[in-house]
Amino acid sequence: MEGIAFTPSAASQQQAYILCADCGTPIPPNSANRCVNCLRNSVDITESIPKQAAISFCRNCDRWLSPPQAWLIAELESRELLAICLRKLKGLKEVRLVDAGFIWTEPHSKRLRVKLTVQKEVFSSTVLQQVFEVEFVVQYTQCPDCTKLAAKNTWRACVQVRQKVDHKRTFLYLEQLILKHGADKDTISVAEKKDGLDFFYSGRQHALKMCDFLSAVTPVRMKTSEQLISLDTQNASTNYKSTYSIEITPVCKDDLVCLPKKLANYLSNISQLCLCTRVGNSIHFTDPSTLHSAELSASQYWRQPFMPLAAIQNTIEFVVLDIEPTQHPPITANRGKYLLADAQVTPSSGGNDETFHTRTHLGAVLKPGDTVIGYYLSTTNFNDPNWESLDPNRIPEVVLVRKTFPNRRKKGNNSAKKRKWKLKSIAKEVTDDNNIGLGREKGYETKKNNRGENQQARAEADYEMFLRDLEEDPELRANVQLWKAEKKRRAAAGGADAEEDGMDTESVADTEATDMSDDDEDFPKIRDDELLVEGMTNMKMDDIAEEE
């Protein structure tokens, strides 16, 4: 036997098997000593995972409830909807998710079936994988937003903006500022009231942002009030509706004011009788007889408020007969915009041929033959205590406000037809029958009644006056977005005029050119580079060139 080595047999080189402890089937050795079938029968790794669950769906807005409170838009059998379904299963944290997918079901069956593959370590070095299905029952319900809408309880905060004046030009300008800066992006709705507008918001923070914006662009004062809607004594939680009342100062641009004597002394001893030349977050006054200027903040105004003596609607037209600077070299103010001069004017209408001598701040823009609007004070009485305190000998007969362009506005030469620009507006809802919309542009919803015709005419006059202010005041126009009018709109306007007069399109163009030559030469024209084109962000350079 020496020299003979022992060679193990082929059977001994094969893997050893053991018998399953439950069914006796030969299996490779493992720590459980059971086969896969017996291990699955004795251990269920999906016992903590529910096989049926409910998922909420809002039919009004087509959104699904994502726990705990989020409502998301998701298509059927999409990844977003699968993620929402998996969030509904609480026991998934105890196993390892390997795969998940939808099983097709009838769209109207109100059932969603999801196939899941999970793994879990049941014994030492023994990982069990199992495939199972979960059925989700779709329950129709309403999301909180749709519930509020159905109950007409959509807002939680309201900003009430008011101004006690007889015109709407302030709100027209404020509307353009809101559109330019996008301050209305969180607004649910806008309601038009008698003396202003109401802005409604779903949250208190959005309303506070609007209040901050209004405080930055106009002199205001604010009051806050809250109304209790519901009270939960179990959780000690309350639900309030907040209302922010904002009042804008009644002093507007081009108004004639008489300052209280103490306030005039506080403002560098300026004259009490002044013109309001600009309104921003503060009020700017100018003395037309001395070019002295002063600035009054909102807090100072509301500490000692006063009403304007007269508004721009109370002015009359004068014709400039002669004008001459008061000193040489001339005295200018406000970056050369105002020039102190002595003017000789006469009323442009009526049988009054009387001539008035006055000192004005418009010497830089007026020349003999021009038309200017102003306040006629020689025969005017004001019910104001500050006016009564003035010295009658120092009150001017006429206070000139600004230059006008009657040839541009004359009948038959309507400037509205010549405008190649337009303004956008916010859609408003009129809730007061006595109130009429601010204008005729798209976005204004009006209610007409028997008493509303005069109010509608007044609103249209205010809107036309605001458009004229934009044309004549470049400083005011710089804060407003002007949009280029459509070609169809301008062609339709020209075609309508041609049909009425029996003229062709070429004759209309010749007539417009003749009218333009008859207009005032120094009329401030709006350049094409000041106009914005709708949809410019989505247009290519070729499209922009074609539009131009």
Side-chain angles (χ1 to χ4, degrees):
M1 299 297 294
E2 295 182 330
I4 299 176
F6 176 78
T7 302
S9 62
S12 62
Q13 293 180 358
Q14 294 180 356
Q15 183 180 4
Y17 285 87
I18 64 173
L19 298 179
C20 176
D22 292 341
C23 64
T25 304
I27 59 172
N30 56 59
S31 58
N33 295 328
R34 292 184 178 89
C35 63
V36 176
N37 295 330
C38 295
L39 191 60
R40 289 178 178 175
N41 293 333
S42 60
V43 179
D44 186 10
I45 63 175
T46 64
E47 60 181 356
S48 61
I49 303 175
K51 303 305 184 293
Q52 189 174 18
I55 186 171
S56 299
F57 176 70
C58 180
R59 291 186 292 180
N60 296 329
C61 58
D62 295 337
R63 294 190 299 175
W64 303 82
L65 175 60
S66 178
Q69 296 180 350
W71 289 83
L72 305 177
I73 298 177
E75 298 292 336
L76 291 176
E77 299 187 2
S78 62
R79 297 179 59 184
E80 293 78 8
L81 183 57
L82 181 61
I84 295 175
C85 293
L86 295 179
R87 291 194 190 100
K88 299 288 291 184
L89 303 178
K90 299 181 180 179
L92 283 180
K93 296 182 180 179
E94 301 178 2
V95 296
R96 177 173 174 244
L97 181 63
V98 178
D99 189 17
F102 281 102
I103 300 176
W104 184 88
T105 56
E106 178 65 30
H108 302 286
S109 63
K110 298 176 63 176
R111 296 292 188 273
L112 298 176
R113 296 172 60 191
V114 179
K115 181 180 179 180
L116 302 176
T117 303
V118 296
Q119 291 180 353
K120 184 178 181 181
E121 186 177 2
V122 292
F123 296 102
S124 177
S125 301
T126 302
V127 178
L128 183 62
Q129 179 173 314
Q130 191 170 346
V131 180
F132 66 102
E133 295 180 7
V134 178
E135 185 181 56
F136 293 89
V137 180
V138 180
Q139 296 180 349
Y140 292 150
T141 183
Q142 280 187 335
C143 63
D145 296 337
C146 296
T147 303
K148 294 178 183 178
L149 184 61
K152 297 182 179 181
N153 188 18
T154 59
W155 61 277
R156 284 294 176 267
C158 175
V159 179
Q160 299 177 348
V161 187
R162 299 290 185 269
Q163 187 185 32
K164 298 179 181 179
V165 292
D166 296 333
H167 58 83
K168 298 288 186 180
R169 291 186 292 119
T170 301
F171 291 98
L172 291 170
Y173 177 66
L174 188 61
E175 177 187 16
Q176 298 304 317
L177 291 179
I178 292 174
L179 290 174
K180 180 178 180 180
H181 297 279
D184 60 330
K185 62 179 181 179
D186 299 321
T187 305
I188 296 178
S189 62
V190 181
E192 187 176 354
K193 299 295 182 179
K194 181 179 180 181
D195 295 327
L197 300 172
D198 287 352
F199 298 87
F200 298 96
Y201 298 91
S202 60
R204 180 170 172 268
Q205 297 299 327
H206 300 324
L208 291 176
K209 288 182 181 179
M210 174 58 76
C211 294
D212 294 339
F213 174 78
L214 295 176
S215 301
V217 298
T218 183
V220 299
R221 67 175 176 180
M222 183 178 66
K223 295 181 180 179
T224 306
S225 62
E226 291 183 344
Q227 179 183 1
L228 181 63
I229 303 300
S230 62
L231 173 64
D232 189 355
T233 57
Q234 300 293 334
N235 300 327
S237 60
T238 56
N239 186 12
Y240 286 96
K241 275 188 175 182
S242 302
T243 302
Y244 301 91
S245 177
I246 293 182
E247 183 179 358
I248 304 177
T249 57
V251 180
C252 302
K253 186 176 179 294
D254 296 332
D255 284 357
L256 181 67
V257 299
C258 186
L259 303 175
K261 189 172 183 179
K262 292 184 178 179
L263 183 59
N265 295 336
Y266 174 77
L267 297 176
S268 301
N269 214 10
I270 193 175
S271 175
Q272 290 184 249
L273 194 63
C274 299
L275 282 176
C276 177
T277 55
R278 181 176 176 271
V279 178
N281 54 3
S282 58
I283 309 173
H284 298 257
F285 299 105
T286 299
D287 183 5
S289 60
T290 61
L291 290 187
H292 290 171
S293 60
E295 181 179 351
L296 185 65
S297 64
S299 59
Q300 293 173 345
Y301 173 83
W302 294 114
R303 200 176 298 123
Q304 192 175 1
F306 57 90
M307 296 295 294
L309 290 179
I312 193 68
Q313 294 87 349
N314 306 121
T315 57
I316 63 174
E317 286 189 350
F318 296 90
V319 177
V320 180
L321 302 179
D322 189 16
I323 188 166
E324 183 180 358
T326 56
Q327 294 183 3
H328 297 280
I331 300 176
T332 61
N334 196 3
R335 300 179 182 179
K337 182 179 179 181
Y338 300 139
L339 174 65
L340 194 63
D342 290 332
Q344 185 177 359
V345 296
T346 183
S348 61
S349 60
N352 188 0
D353 297 335
E354 188 177 359
T355 302
F356 302 97
H357 297 269
T358 184
R359 183 161 293 181
T360 180
H361 61 296
L362 303 176
V365 296
L366 295 181
K367 60 182 182 295
D370 288 344
T371 304
V372 61
I373 58 175
Y375 296 103
Y376 188 21
L377 304 181
S378 61
T379 59
T380 306
N381 294 324
F382 299 103
N383 186 14
D384 189 279
N386 299 323
W387 171 264
E388 300 295 335
S389 63
L390 294 178
D391 186 3
N393 298 325
R394 303 187 61 179
I395 298 177
E397 294 179 325
V398 175
V399 176
L400 303 182
V401 180
R402 66 183 182 188
K403 181 180 177 180
T404 58
F405 304 90
N407 294 332
R408 182 77 177 184
R409 315 299 185 190
K410 65 184 179 180
K411 187 176 181 181
N413 187 19
N414 190 2
S415 59
K417 297 180 180 179
K418 295 183 178 181
R419 293 191 180 106
K420 299 179 180 180
W421 53 275
K422 64 178 181 179
L423 297 177
K424 289 188 175 182
S425 57
I426 304 174
K428 305 177 186 66
E429 177 184 359
V430 179
T431 58
D432 189 359
D433 293 341
N434 296 327
N435 190 30
I436 301 298
L438 297 178
R440 297 175 298 175
E441 294 295 324
K442 181 180 180 181
Y444 291 97
E445 302 177 3
T446 60
K447 290 183 178 180
K448 293 184 178 180
N449 48 32
N450 296 330
R451 298 177 298 177
E453 296 181 356
N454 295 334
Q455 297 179 358
Q456 179 68 25
R458 183 183 302 176
E460 292 180 355
D462 291 339
Y463 189 75
E464 177 64 25
M465 183 63 67
F466 175 67
L467 297 181
R468 294 182 181 182
D469 292 343
L470 292 178
E471 290 179 334
E472 300 174 3
D473 192 349
E475 184 179 354
L476 181 66
R477 191 166 63 243
N479 299 325
V480 176
Q481 288 181 335
L482 304 181
W483 297 86
K484 191 173 183 180
E486 298 87 351
K487 293 182 180 180
K488 295 181 180 180
R489 175 182 174 184
R490 289 178 289 176
D497 295 338
E499 292 179 0
E500 292 178 1
D501 300 335
M503 301 165 58
D504 55 2
T505 307
E506 295 181 357
S507 301
V508 173
D510 297 339
T511 304
E512 290 184 357
T514 304
D515 292 340
M516 291 295 291
S517 62
D518 295 337
D519 290 344
D520 300 281
E521 296 179 357
D522 55 349
F523 182 81
K525 299 179 178 59
I526 299 178
R527 306 186 308 272
D528 291 338
D529 57 357
E530 298 183 35
L531 304 181
L532 301 176
V533 181
E534 293 187 10
M536 182 176 294
T537 55
N538 299 326
M539 295 174 62
K540 299 180 180 179
M541 295 303 298
D542 297 339
D543 299 333
I544 297 177
E546 182 180 357
E547 180 70 18
E548 295 295 336

